[in-house]
Amino acid sequence: MSKKLICLISFVLVLGLVGSASAALPQGWMSQDIGTTGGSADESGGTWTITADGWDIWGSSDGFHFAYVPLFGDGQMVARVVDIGTGADGWARGGVMIRETLEPDSKHVTITLTAGEGSGKEFLCRPSTGGSSLSSYGGTVVSPPLWLRLVREGNSFTGYYSEDGANWVQQPDSTVIDGDLTTNPVELEMAADVYIGLCFTSHVDGEMRTYTFDNVSLKLPVIALNPTPADGAIHPDTWANLGWAPGHTAVSHDVHFSDNFDDVNDGTPEAFQGNQPSTFFVIGFPGFPFPDGLVPGTTYYWRVDEVEADGTTIHKGNVWSFLVPPKTAYAPDPADGAESVDLDVELSWAEGFGAKLHTVYFGDNFDDVNNAAGSLPQGATTYDPGTLKLAKTYYWRVDEFDAVNTYKGDVWSFTTQGAVGNPNPANDAVDVKQTQILTWSPGIYAASHEVYFGADEDAVKNADTTSPEYKGTRDLGSETYDPGKLEWDSTYYWRIDEVNNTNPDSPWAGILWSFTTANFLVVDDFEDYDAGDNQIWFAWKDGLGYGTPGTEPYSPGNGTGSAVGDENTPSYTEETIVHGGNQSMPVFYDNSILRYSEVEKTLTYPRDWTEKGVNTLTIWFRGNSDNAAETLYAALNGSAVVSHDNPNAAQLTTWTEWTIDLQAFADQGVNLANVNTIAIGLGNKNPDVSGVAGGSGTMYFDDIRLYRPAPEPAP
């Protein structure tokens, strides 16, 4: 059941793998032109001159020189190597560097261009103290002019080179992490201020060698970065001293803090904590906001907006978070609901806030573990349950004692190797479509499956074959259940018990799984396609056609320059570049002949695009900077077309939400209560004969949805 036209598909896949080598920084960065530098040196020290303000210089008798500017926090240096001089022998290096301090023996790493007889031309990343190279590009490269770039993100540095200033190639392994040169000469011990600049060394047997760099610039953040506590951290205290690295143009900072993400993200008055000049903020301490302390078991969100000197230019920051751990045990290992756990597993957990002793309860019956009492406490945060049985569900609970109170823990569960598993939707999944078919993988001993499903957690957990939640038996090989059309924004629970009447341990009760349906309609989330009988090109018709399962004949394509899917992945979809879930749809387009390319899906559900008052279509997409700038469009019922308002949408390199008012299709005659097909394409869908041939590229699409109008704000 391989896809069609192998030679064309091979061509598509090769082009689909071509991506931008650029390492573009996110929004919230500014570029600062630094100017041109020039200098010369010999082995006795030489000279170094700077032709732009804002630089300082340093040199030593061993021929090493650099010019620097201070860099606080993240940023990057970009420089164009114009000339590395001439010489008949010896060697010389010039390039981009970082430096921790200004002392002659300071720690630094350079990304360098090496030139000279006997050495060829190569890029190196190495410590100044000697030692082996951290990384190198050993191939011969084009002589200058040549571009070099060094990027700092936190305590990591990454080097890039480019022969044209546009297409960047990352230095292999050129990331430096926290460390100390005294113990590992290729690692850096970071300081608050780091200097980044241009450097060279020279050894040419007394011959003067010159260096010239132009188009030198720094790219510096204007948003706050490097939060303390780190984003997503566990903060084991009920107060915090928040800190951050400021944006380079900031003179003051607006601080937002709350246990409500939306309040922080939206900047509500409830979350706004004030404006201040300093880059730290105390929270949860008497005399400061939240004077009664932060609450254990709570996730807190915070954001810092950077305010420039005019007081009106404000750069909105990212929303960060940290967790004050609960007083109960948390972070179980194996994780709650884990599958295929080893029979000799050792259980462990993170102790509750302030906990001194831990009491463990373990068994194969939920109620027994939930109601247990009286076990002996222990000091360790691990527990050995002994050798377990195959294909079995186990439950465990850890109570925490902080010398005053005992805090009863949650009941966690896991299944050992050979048990029923791989639920689809995944346990605790959200935004599940309302027509979801449930699937699972059978247990090792299963001869049949008992299905339990419902909206009441306790009822499904305790159900037996006499309960209304019992949905019947499925034979081995039929691991699916269709619950019918589900309600919007509702949580459902399900359980699969494995049965084999020849085994005395039968039945094996499965773990209780759950999922929550979406509060929108899912047109396609691309999660259900696979390499079996549900291949993506069976649903999304492209320009090449496809074979169908069994003996059905070959189906022609739609006659456009499109190709959907990727035969190199297990699901034939894109599995790395995704917006939500685990899969997205890759589409290659080539408008050199027909001037447009599209993929089209015939709808079964949803076809009524007025259900519950939906009025908006959203499509998430991502392009590539190397793509041809073709018009992106969506079409319903074959002919009603709406184009994206950005003519360069195909070149966007981040996931972008495209929002379309359904009225735009209704105005073209579409009956929104009966939508038959949806197509996505690039180019001119209705080209005239004199149209100009277009270009090609690769796009990714995900999470196509229909939304209701946003609720009116409360008065």
Side-chain angles (χ1 to χ4, degrees):
M1 292 186 290
S2 176
K3 202 170 189 260
K4 67 290 173 191
L5 302 179
I6 298 301
C7 62
L8 285 179
I9 283 300
S10 298
F11 175 67
V12 167
L13 292 177
V14 169
L15 289 178
L17 292 175
V18 176
S20 171
S22 175
L25 290 172
Q27 292 182 353
W29 295 73
M30 60 171 287
S31 181
Q32 174 181 325
D33 183 34
I34 296 179
T36 299
T37 70
S40 61
D42 59 25
E43 61 179 326
S44 64
T47 61
W48 175 258
T49 59
I50 304 298
T51 61
D53 295 333
W55 292 79
D56 201 351
I57 60 173
W58 179 84
S60 67
S61 60
D62 64 1
F64 174 76
H65 307 265
F66 77 91
Y68 70 87
V69 290
L71 175 64
F72 184 80
D74 293 6
Q76 65 171 281
M77 161 75 73
V78 179
R80 180 172 178 260
V81 184
V82 179
D83 178 38
I84 56 172
T86 60
D89 56 10
W91 53 265
R93 294 189 179 97
V96 184
M97 67 159 295
I98 61 94
R99 181 178 187 81
E100 185 182 355
T101 65
L102 293 182
E103 283 68 34
D105 59 350
S106 63
K107 310 174 181 73
H108 66 270
V109 167
T110 61
I111 307 292
T112 63
L113 170 69
T114 299
E117 201 170 292
S119 66
K121 296 182 178 70
E122 63 183 85
F123 290 92
L124 302 174
C125 180
R126 61 180 301 139
S128 64
T129 55
S132 59
S133 295
L134 179 63
S135 68
S136 66
Y137 169 76
T140 299
V141 299
V142 178
S143 298
L146 207 89
W147 293 82
L148 301 172
R149 177 165 67 182
L150 189 64
V151 177
R152 177 190 180 187
E153 297 180 72
N155 288 340
S156 296
F157 290 86
T158 309
Y160 302 84
Y161 72 89
S162 172
E163 295 180 358
D164 59 8
N167 298 296
W168 292 91
V169 179
Q170 182 177 334
Q171 285 287 93
D173 304 319
S174 61
T175 298
V176 182
I177 60 175
D178 261 340
D180 188 337
L181 284 173
T182 60
T183 58
N184 188 338
V186 298
E187 295 184 346
L188 281 175
E189 180 180 330
M190 293 301 304
D193 287 292
V194 173
Y195 294 86
I196 185 167
L198 305 173
C199 70
F200 69 87
T201 60
S202 176
H203 185 349
V204 201
D205 295 334
E207 179 180 344
M208 189 71 73
R209 185 179 293 270
T210 61
Y211 296 82
T212 304
F213 299 85
D214 71 1
N215 297 94
V216 182
S217 67
L218 286 177
K219 290 188 177 180
L220 308 173
V222 295
I223 60 173
L225 295 170
N226 302 332
T228 302
D231 187 27
I234 294 174
H235 182 67
D237 213 327
T238 56
W239 75 282
N241 187 0
L242 310 179
W244 60 92
H248 279 258
T249 59
V251 298
S252 65
H253 320 276
D254 288 343
V255 180
H256 306 263
F257 185 92
S258 174
D259 60 0
N260 184 291
F261 172 88
D262 290 334
D263 284 350
V264 172
N265 186 57
D266 298 339
T268 65
E270 292 79 9
F272 181 60
Q273 304 298 330
N275 175 269
Q276 62 179 52
S278 61
T279 58
F280 66 89
F281 187 82
V282 177
I283 200 92
F285 199 79
F288 295 91
F290 291 73
D292 295 331
L294 304 178
V295 179
T298 303
T299 297
Y300 290 95
Y301 304 91
W302 60 298
R303 186 185 102 208
V304 178
D305 295 347
E306 299 296 67
V307 183
E308 295 192 7
D310 61 11
T312 59
T313 302
I314 301 175
H315 302 282
K316 181 180 178 180
N318 300 316
V319 177
W320 301 313
S321 69
F322 63 85
L323 169 69
V324 178
K327 290 182 175 292
T328 55
Y330 66 102
D333 185 13
D336 187 26
E339 301 174 6
S340 299
V341 173
D342 191 86
L343 302 183
D344 294 318
V345 65
E346 181 179 69
L347 312 181
S348 64
W349 60 93
E351 64 184 13
F353 185 84
K356 307 299 182 184
L357 295 173
H358 324 280
T359 304
V360 182
Y361 301 94
F362 183 87
D364 59 6
N365 181 279
F366 175 90
D367 290 332
D368 289 347
V369 173
N370 186 50
N371 299 324
S375 289
L376 295 176
Q378 62 181 58
T381 56
T382 61
Y383 177 75
D384 184 358
T387 301
L388 305 177
K389 292 184 177 181
L390 277 169
K392 196 168 185 64
T393 299
Y394 289 95
Y395 301 89
W396 58 302
R397 184 186 107 214
V398 179
D399 292 354
E400 300 289 70
F401 178 65
D402 65 1
V404 177
N405 297 306
T406 297
Y407 301 91
K408 181 181 178 181
D410 297 326
V411 177
W412 300 315
S413 64
F414 63 86
T415 57
T416 55
Q417 299 161 344
V420 63
N422 297 320
N424 181 34
N427 190 30
D428 295 327
V430 296
D431 292 341
V432 174
K433 59 188 177 185
Q434 294 83 7
T435 55
Q436 180 70 46
I437 304 297
L438 312 185
T439 66
W440 61 92
S441 296
I444 191 173
Y445 298 128
S448 62
H449 321 283
E450 293 175 349
V451 179
Y452 299 88
F453 180 86
D456 186 298
E457 180 178 9
D458 289 335
V460 176
K461 179 175 62 180
N462 299 318
D464 58 28
T465 56
T466 65
S467 305
E469 288 74 21
Y470 173 61
K471 303 303 178 182
T473 299
R474 297 293 183 274
D475 293 334
L476 187 64
S478 298
E479 287 76 34
T480 65
Y481 171 66
D482 182 356
K485 187 177 179 181
L486 304 173
E487 293 296 323
W488 289 40
D489 197 19
S490 299
T491 299
Y492 293 92
Y493 303 88
W494 58 303
R495 190 185 96 216
I496 305 296
D497 290 357
E498 301 292 65
V499 179
N500 188 330
N501 293 330
T502 65
N503 191 308
D505 291 331
S506 175
W508 296 270
I511 283 180
L512 185 71
W513 296 318
S514 70
F515 64 87
T516 301
T517 54
N519 64 347
F520 48 80
L521 288 177
V522 178
V523 178
D524 205 334
D525 58 11
F526 304 99
E527 296 302 303
D528 294 333
Y529 299 116
D530 56 40
D533 291 343
N534 195 26
Q535 299 168 18
I536 189 169
W537 40 74
F538 296 158
W540 287 89
K541 188 176 183 180
D542 61 13
L544 298 181
Y546 49 85
T548 52
T551 60
E552 296 181 32
Y554 169 81
S555 173
N558 58 28
T560 74
S562 62
V564 66
D566 185 346
E567 286 190 340
N568 289 335
T569 64
S571 65
Y572 291 171
T573 66
E574 171 60 37
E575 298 178 351
T576 301
I577 304 173
V578 297
H579 172 257
N582 299 308
Q583 299 177 186
S584 69
M585 177 173 66
V587 176
F588 171 77
Y589 65 94
D590 184 353
N591 296 341
S592 60
I593 299 177
L594 296 172
R595 298 186 296 283
Y596 80 103
S597 304
E598 73 175 26
V599 293
E600 184 180 63
K601 179 178 182 178
T602 299
L603 299 172
T604 54
Y605 180 84
R607 290 185 59 179
D608 180 0
W609 285 25
T610 66
E611 181 178 328
K612 291 188 180 292
V614 296
N615 70 344
T616 303
L617 170 67
T618 65
I619 302 173
W620 284 90
F621 71 91
R622 175 175 169 170
N624 191 301
S625 60
D626 293 335
N627 285 349
E630 299 288 326
T631 299
L632 174 64
Y633 67 83
L636 298 186
N637 292 352
S639 59
V641 177
V642 174
S643 297
H644 197 283
D645 57 8
N646 183 353
N648 300 315
Q651 297 175 333
L652 298 178
T653 58
T654 58
W655 281 107
T656 303
E657 185 180 30
W658 182 15
T659 300
I660 305 172
D661 189 334
L662 292 180
Q663 187 62 42
F665 295 110
D667 291 344
Q668 300 178 59
V670 174
N671 177 5
L672 294 176
N674 187 25
V675 179
N676 300 315
T677 63
I678 178 174
I680 303 173
L682 293 107
N684 183 359
K685 183 172 172 61
N686 299 301
D688 57 44
V689 176
S690 62
V692 178
S696 62
T698 301
M699 298 289 294
Y700 305 93
F701 299 96
D702 205 352
D703 292 331
I704 304 175
R705 300 168 173 174
L706 295 168
Y707 284 93
R708 292 179 289 191
E712 294 291 334

